[in-house]
Amino acid sequence: MRYIKIFLIGIFFGIVLIKSEAVSWYRIQEMFLFDSFHMYGIIGSAVGLGVLLMLAIKKLHAKSFSGKAIILEAKEKGWKRYIYGGTIFGLGWALTGACPGPVYALIGNGATVFVVVLLSAVFGAFVYGAVRSKLPH
């Protein structure tokens, strides 16, 4: 039952990405050329919604699907990890035209070439896990 809820949320997320054109190569190109506000509006809305949900989780002491308390630990102060991580993430996004969430939506929408992007992302996560102890955190 727990996986059905997660599966349905994933389907809803994919539909939102497709309908909002967040997975459109044209919209992503517009964003990187600063030609349109469309993607910035979507990203800003997602960030705002995320802030509201985090505040609600803290205020209401929400629990996960498995019934465990959600504990939000404070992060260490620092800027290096955000600069390095953000740069690598942005370069990957610019090169492939998709960040991790939309990759699944694109594959589900028939753009099977994004299987290569998904496999590359999984490989990148594997490499990160292998060298994580040597990176600035």
Side-chain angles (χ1 to χ4, degrees), residues 13-117:
F13 182 62
I15 290 170
V16 169
L17 289 175
I18 298 292
K19 291 295 183 187
S20 68
E21 297 182 3
V23 296
S24 164
W25 179 258
Y26 174 72
R27 292 293 185 186
I28 294 168
Q29 186 181 21
E30 275 183 339
M31 176 185 71
F32 283 114
L33 294 174
F34 300 103
D35 284 344
S36 173
F37 183 76
H38 186 90
M39 288 295 288
Y40 296 109
I42 292 172
I43 294 168
S45 299
V47 169
L49 181 63
V51 168
L52 291 175
L53 289 175
M54 288 295 119
L55 290 173
I57 287 170
K58 286 180 180 177
K59 185 83 174 178
L60 302 172
H61 304 289
K63 295 183 179 180
S64 68
F65 283 125
S66 60
K68 295 179 183 173
I70 298 173
I71 300 169
L72 303 172
E73 295 180 19
K75 301 228 180 225
E76 287 181 36
K77 301 256 183 216
W79 56 271
K80 288 181 181 177
R81 62 181 166 182
Y82 298 111
I83 297 296
Y84 298 146
T87 301
I88 293 169
F89 183 85
L91 286 172
W93 192 7
L95 287 171
T96 62
C99 60
V103 167
Y104 294 103
L106 285 163
I107 293 170
N109 203 32
T112 54
V113 71
F114 278 89
V115 170
V116 175
V117 175

